[in-house]
Amino acid sequence: MATENKNGGRPDVDIATLRHSAREGNTPRFWRGLDELAGTPEFRDHAENEFPHGANDPNATLDRRELLKVMAASAAFAGLTGCTKLPTQTIVPYVREPEQIIPGKPLFYATAVTLGGVATGVLVESHMSRPTKVEGNPDHPGSLGASDSFAQASILGLYDPDRSRAEVHDGRIGSWPEFQTELTAALAAAKITGGSGLRLLTQTITSASLAAQIRKFLKAFPSAKWHQYESVGRDNVREGARIAFGEYVNAVYRLNRVEVVLTLDSDFLTSGPGSVRYAREFAAKRRVDGAESIMNRLYAVECTPTNTGAMADHRLRMRASEIESFARALAREIGVSAAAGPGSSSSAPAEWIAAVARDLKQHAGASLIVAGDQQPPVVHALAHAINQKLGNFDKTVYFTQPIEESPIHQWESMGELAADIRAGKVTTILILGGNPAYDAPVDLGLRELLPKVKFSARLGMHEDETSVLCHWHIPQAHSLESWGDARAYDGTITVMQPLIAPLYEGKSEHDFLAALNGQAEKPSHDIVREFWLAQKTGIPRFDAFWEKTLRDGVMAGTAFPAKQVSLKLGIGEQPPAARPQGLEIVFRPDPTIWDGRFANNGWLQELPKPLTKLTWDNVAMLSPKMAQRLGLKSEDAIELKYEGRTIVAPAWVMPGHADESVTVFLGYGRTRAGNVGSSAGFDAGWIRPYATPWIGAGLEIRKTHQKWALAATQTHNSMEGRDLVRVATLDEYHKNPKFAQADVVKNPLSLYPEVKYEGYSWGMAVDLNACTGCGSCVVACQAENNIAVVGKKEVMIGREMHWIRIDRYFEGDLDDPKTYHEPVVCMHCEDAPCEVVCPVMATVHSPEGLNEMIYNRCVGTRYCSNNCPYKVRRFNFRLYSDWDTPSLFGMRNPNVSVRSRGVMEKCSYCVQRINAVKIEAEKQDRSVRDGEIVTACQQSCPSEAIVFGNINDPNSRVSKMKAKNLNYSLLEELNTRPRTTYQARLRNPNPEIEKAAAV
Amino acid sequence: MAQIFHHSTNTIARVSIYGAVLLLLLLGYTVDVVNNSSYVTEVHNARPQPVPFSHKHHVGELGLDCRYCHASVEVSSSAGMPPTQTCMTCHSQIWTGAAMLEPVRASYRDSVPISWTRVNAVPDFVYFNHSIHVAKGVGCTTCHGPIAEMNITWRQESLYMRWCLECHNAPENYLRPRSEVFNSFYRAPKNQQELGLRLMKEYKVQKLTNCTTCHR
Amino acid sequence: MADSPTDKLAQHSLAVPIIGPGHDYASVTDKISHIVLSRKPPKWWILGFAAAFALVMLLLYSITYLFAVGVGIWGIQIPVGWGFAIINFVWWIGIGHAGTLISAILLLLRQQWRTSINRFAEAMTLFAVACAGIFPLIHMGRPWLAYWLFPYPDTMKMWPNFRSPLVWDAFAVSTYATVSALFWFIGLLPDLATLRDRSKNRAAKIIYGFLAMGWRGSAVHWYRHETASLLLAGLATPLVLSVHTIVSLDFAFSIVPGWHATIFPPYFVAGAIYAGFAMVLTLSIPVRKLFGLEDFITMRHLDNMGKVMLAAGLIVGYGYMMEAFSAYYSGNPYERFMIMNRMGGPYAAVYWFLVACNIVTPQFLWSRKVRANVGALFTIAMVVNVGMWLERFIIVVTSLHRDFLPSSWGMYYPTRWDFATFFGTIGLFVALLFLFIRFLPLISIFEMRALVNEEDKKAAD
């Protein structure tokens, strides 16, 4: 249990401490790593304190504010009137009021956030021109109104106090003009050789306008080279397509037409382009209403447990390196000629494959094989081949031209760059975004090579590992601060518009390239607009078109059309290379930190990883069997030796992980991420060589007899036989549709008269059959309700503040359990145990059935939390909300109080949204329409698992959900009468396999 | 042996015992008085402003409508404070030279906003919405007092929760026809009670006293 | 009260005298008042007080730090929202009970043997309540708003939630404190007067004189004194039951498995008396030794107190049994799990240690020999003190840390600040006691005189 262990000797840094220290100015402006930061007294307190659960907390320092609080307290004691007199405030109106802006009314702007270049369309809420909340854009094909946790958290990325604020020239503060002069000089020098020795390194680019700028630049410097690199790239997907079709194409799935899905180590429901949309389409095919309704079926063959695997009706755990053999075996079953896979695919029972193949064939044209980004190209090729054989092309999957402006093998591109630098061919390198010094293949030695380049400049949001190795660091503008454009998973273009002027005079990639092209003075808006003006010559009234594009957040008709592809023959016929022997190591992006780019985002750091429920750390994941063999327990610090490099990592025993295989997650062990992310976790990249980006063999493990304390938000994984998540197979459901309501108490006895709820009465329904556990709702809630980040130590004690948590339970076989996700918000019980025990009526019931929590009345006895059977209440044990860092003020939702120390808080059903809508409705003298009030969690949920509304209206969506047979409430027997109810989970297993398993 | 205490001690003792009780009562009373004093509540304290703006003149004498300056009062939670622009619409024509108005002109000239001293303020944890109150027939002067008589604006009411509840518990005593909401000279009729009750029905006014109506 | 231990005492044979032989009014008065009026305090007193005072400083320090940083310095979290603070509160309040029981109930029952111990038993009550009273205040997230628990006409037009046991608690405890204080002081009056008259230096005369409130020992004074004492005794008697009943309701009122039990009120009251007598023994044994008061606090007293403890201990044991039984019998899976978790879960060791302390150990008291052995009595009393604290730990922590949803189970680990606050209050308690035995007669002089009188009568017959 995480909370039982002491911190493994490794000083772990608490955001707030360092925030604090940075704030107090006792931190050097450019601190080199944490050792230097460690100079702060707070930090020393950390390092020295032998009581991990003790008072070694940021807020432990008695600073001015604390003293004032104590004084205020004593004042209150004395006069009982300490806080009633308000300080004198001032009102500062505009001089000239801008249009549209009405004080107190938010505006929404359509733009997009990108990950790996792929755009998710969003609407950004802006209060008095302060962006405060990101929401999905319903008109955007990649969003449909929902969004993933990364998009939700991007708002914190914008206000991140650790963002670099100034140009840095060799460790000293420089300036943009100064840089330009140096740049022009460098370019002039390069001109002579036509730019040989000139290198441009970017991430994946889907922005046509940016690409145009780059091409312009390359025209000017013909022999210059443009490299693209993402450490978590999609090379295998692209190469797979090339093997299959002889060209790069982009596969787009139509899950709304799929009856049977088979994933080969793919987490298509929660990561990768289009995942948000796929999750919704997939969930839609699983919704059952009538007694005879049917569901789609999901087979997952995977090594590392993923959310997709957790959703699967049949999950086959298998070493990542064996999946190729599986694919080949399946291909042959289906009738695609393929050489037998290397070694024995023992872990894939023949009858299993046969059964799956039969099922797939039965659903020819309505089935789909999805290969995971980390699987080798041939697996992707085979997947394509099988899909084609099953006649799925143009039905459940279609192909378009690549969405990347210049699709290349990025991994090789980076290798080439490194080689050129080593060979001394590179005199000037310009790095746009990314963080190669941290995440480039370790044995390319980029960290040693970069300083060798004569002139190197880096455009980045943080002054990070790469920046310090470059001569120049230029602060980059956040995507919410700059103009641009990007393509969605299907090619749809979104023109990105800034929500706010760059907070720290950051430059966008467009600005940077403009500077390269000698147009430094040209605003990026003009660059983007003019580019599209040139593209859309056909359009009569471009202004109107432009306005519409900006307003809608999508450029009409830019989705790529389906493209005819011809499958090459004899894919996978050449026998594969023998699989290298030895213990397997699998590299995967971290579920919440991705490749490390979000390392300094407190929301994502504290967002529990969907399946481990870990926060603030990455782990080396291995199966229970293997752990037993090696005598390892979770939180043992182990030494991983691979390809001659070793790193110490915390072990994590993961039920459902393939045996004799270890998964490590990238993105951690950052040294210069910022006050939040630096020194969290270990750098798996350190043992990730060029040869094996994803799957390798020959790992050695050594036990160190040290502990590495981890902060998990859920430490108990069994349901203890309590029917918290109610599950049945589709057949069982058909036989007994009311299985979920077996123990419903018809009319429970009560001494109190029945309370009637007139007018509105709010309720929520959560569909466990749809929830993928992605965690987007958690971050959305955090953003909407100004929920504080507490840091690793506090999470270890058990003090995380999330209002919505996703419980994750395992059921069955320890080695290969079934996994269930169950989002838990406040149940807003009609007979709420918390309400009666509060001595000051700080939590009471509203006439609309809301269980209200009044922070400013709360005295903090915590009895309500003790008495809450669902434990959804969260307490400010310390001053968790950051009241000092100015850059964070702008981020807060002005309609929700920022909680202070010593008060209880909990899910309010987003009452601020309820009230806002009600007020508008009242003013229009009508009643609130169904679906008009959308809670933050519901809004962000990709699979529409959460529905909120008025349960007094029989026609509301929520009422209909609650009317279903599957509807049940948690801990019903307590007669708390929750307003939040659940839709039981259904599985749709393949009878054949089920029988086989039974035998 | 000698007396330790003088005879008077007995009296002193008695007095102090009964006195103590009285003292406690007195203390409680004082706290209450202080709490309701204009020192704490700021009621009737005319706040000094960068520009001695007179509602009396503009509203009372010139008869400007509230909404001319407080433009968002019907649509937003905030009534809105006029941008300098609004002042200048008139004062670029009249009193152009008045020394009193120099700060306004300066603000307009140098685009430096005027920072007014807030008169009516509620704590941060109170979410008051002007638009809905106005829409339901709560007049400006009901809370802001005889604004048309204020040379320098003062706070008319304590804005204590107790005070808010007076109306939230019995709106009928305060409601007026929508047409009269912005009338700064409105006087409640004799039959306020029945008028109020009628308006409550007509405007669908609810007695919202649950906490999240104002606290979130 | 039919089966209460006090009745058993009533029938106790008067074999052992409750006051040593050969004492007359003068000797009694001398012996007791000498302790107070002697010029120099003994060395052990100075050392003991210094130690206790150091702990008080620790208490002040940790409370200041607590107010500055917040309850987060303690080990509490979600799900265990209550920790040491509430444990200590219940423990101290419990200890208080013996005092009131002895002084009030035994007075009404005319149990004369109580006389020599009631004074410092009451003092103990007062100091224990003082220690207890600290915790409900400081365990709040925002202690400076504690006054919101009391009804008063405020600017918010808000009242406390009279349905909440915490509000009842606020009233119960404050009433208890007031009545105990009054009772104790009234009892002190005649002796204060004695001290006033016997003390040599002027300062002492003035102070004691002031406190004596002009007591002249006139018949009227005695008459009123008697009535007042009886009235207060009458007032205090229900309190003995009510206070800990209310405290138990703080738990029983909830739906938490392990708290939600009807047996709690009687079980808590018995536990309180148990703990209280244990503490009285723990104090009286060293005191009679140090001040050579063996003649006043005789073996008879120790013997009786031993019996009361035994009786109370048995009730408490029955309580534990019933908890387990009703959990099993209820068929409620959560209740059952709770008990199993107590007996076999992460805190099982604590539970079994508590059983050993509170149920096994007192069984020795059956034997007259043990009750006659001062050392043994003292040890047992000490063990019971510890045991009763552990009982509260088990009730508070093991019930909370694994309740309904396994997903939110957690572990509770106290921090150094939890311990600092706890030991701090022990220091406060001891310090107050030391001041008391130094500056006030720790045995009621006038009541002892009365005893002498009666003993003489007996001798005469």
Side-chain angles (χ1 to χ4, degrees), chain C residues 235-316:
Chain C
L235 265 177
T237 309
L239 283 178
V240 177
L241 304 177
S242 72
V243 175
H244 229 58
T245 305
I246 300 288
V247 171
S248 79
L249 290 182
D250 288 348
F251 301 98
F253 197 76
S254 79
I255 65 167
V256 179
W259 286 8
H260 183 60
T262 45
I263 194 174
F264 262 38
Y267 159 43
F268 264 55
V269 172
I273 293 161
Y274 192 31
F277 270 89
M279 187 56 85
V280 180
L281 267 175
T282 336
L283 299 178
S284 53
I285 287 173
V287 164
R288 72 197 278 271
K289 184 112 217 71
L290 291 163
F291 290 113
L293 296 173
E294 284 84 352
D295 290 354
F296 297 163
I297 306 173
T298 64
M299 284 320 291
R300 164 86 178 284
H301 296 99
L302 305 187
D303 182 71
N304 284 354
M305 288 195 275
K307 288 173 180 164
V308 180
M309 266 176 66
L310 178 56
L314 290 173
I315 301 179
V316 170

Side-chain angles (χ1 to χ4, degrees), chain A residues 701-841:
Chain A
I701 298 182
R702 203 175 61 75
K703 208 171 161 182
T704 64
H705 304 290
Q706 285 215 327
K707 283 282 175 191
W708 185 316
L710 298 169
T713 57
Q714 183 180 344
T715 52
H716 201 90
N717 303 325
S718 149
M719 276 188 270
E720 294 294 329
R722 306 172 181 185
D723 55 1
L724 308 174
V725 178
R726 304 186 183 174
V727 194
T729 65
L730 190 58
D731 296 349
E732 288 163 352
Y733 167 72
H734 286 152
K735 286 194 195 68
N736 171 17
K738 287 194 171 296
F739 75 93
Q741 301 170 343
D743 64 346
V744 172
V745 196
K746 275 292 156 284
N747 35 12
L749 297 171
S750 171
L751 293 174
Y752 295 98
E754 180 82 3
V755 182
K756 285 268 162 288
Y757 291 93
E758 312 296 344
Y760 307 115
S761 71
W762 307 116
M764 183 181 277
V766 181
D767 187 349
L768 299 181
N769 218 15
C771 175
T772 61
C774 67
S776 157
C777 51
V778 179
V779 185
C781 177
Q782 197 152 19
E784 171 69 15
N785 294 302
N786 302 332
I787 296 170
V789 172
V790 299
K792 180 180 178 182
K793 277 202 151 50
E794 296 292 292
V795 175
M796 281 171 64
I797 306 173
R799 297 175 177 174
E800 65 275 6
M801 298 299 283
H802 297 140
W803 284 5
I804 177 172
R805 65 169 194 268
I806 303 178
D807 290 349
R808 187 265 298 111
Y809 295 110
F810 293 131
E811 181 190 68
D813 177 11
L814 174 67
D815 294 315
D816 195 5
K818 298 191 172 53
T819 310
Y820 304 119
H821 290 295
E822 182 173 44
V824 179
V825 298
C826 175
M827 298 288 145
H828 292 269
C829 314
E830 291 184 2
D831 296 344
C834 52
E835 288 169 8
V836 282
V837 297
C838 175
V840 292
M841 296 213 265

Side-chain angles (χ1 to χ4, degrees), chain A residues 1 4 49 53 55 60 66 722 799 807 836-839 856 858-863 866-867 871 877 901 973, chain C residues 65 67-69 72 74 76 81-82 139 141-142 161 164 250 254-255 334 403-404 407 411 413 415-417:
Chain A
M1 190 167 303
E4 276 170 33
N49 198 323
H53 307 291
E66 302 292 351
R722 306 172 181 185
R799 297 175 177 174
D807 290 349
V836 282
V837 297
C838 175
N856 43 299
C858 178
V859 297
T861 66
R862 303 180 298 287
Y863 198 171
N866 291 346
N867 209 28
K871 289 289 173 284
F877 288 93
R901 182 190 113 200
E973 58 275 37
Chain C
Y65 185 60
F67 282 4
V69 177
W74 291 341
I76 46 175
W82 285 351
H139 100 288
R142 305 199 291 170
N161 176 9
S164 167
D250 288 348
S254 79
I255 65 167
Y334 307 109
D403 63 348
F404 295 95
S407 64
M411 291 293 289
Y413 300 98
T415 67
R416 51 177 158 175
W417 295 106

Side-chain angles (χ1 to χ4, degrees), chain A residues 857-877:
Chain A
R857 176 68 178 174
C858 178
V859 297
T861 66
R862 303 180 298 287
Y863 198 171
C864 53
S865 168
N866 291 346
N867 209 28
C868 173
Y870 308 95
K871 289 289 173 284
V872 292
R873 294 180 155 263
R874 298 283 176 250
F875 189 68
N876 292 271
F877 288 93

Side-chain angles (χ1 to χ4, degrees), chain A residues 91-96, chain B residues 50 83-84 103-104 106-108 110-116:
Chain A
I91 311 177
V92 184
Y94 289 98
V95 174
R96 296 169 183 77
Chain B
T84 314
V104 180
S107 154
Y108 199 63
D110 327 337
S111 305
V112 178
I114 308 171
S115 57
W116 303 91

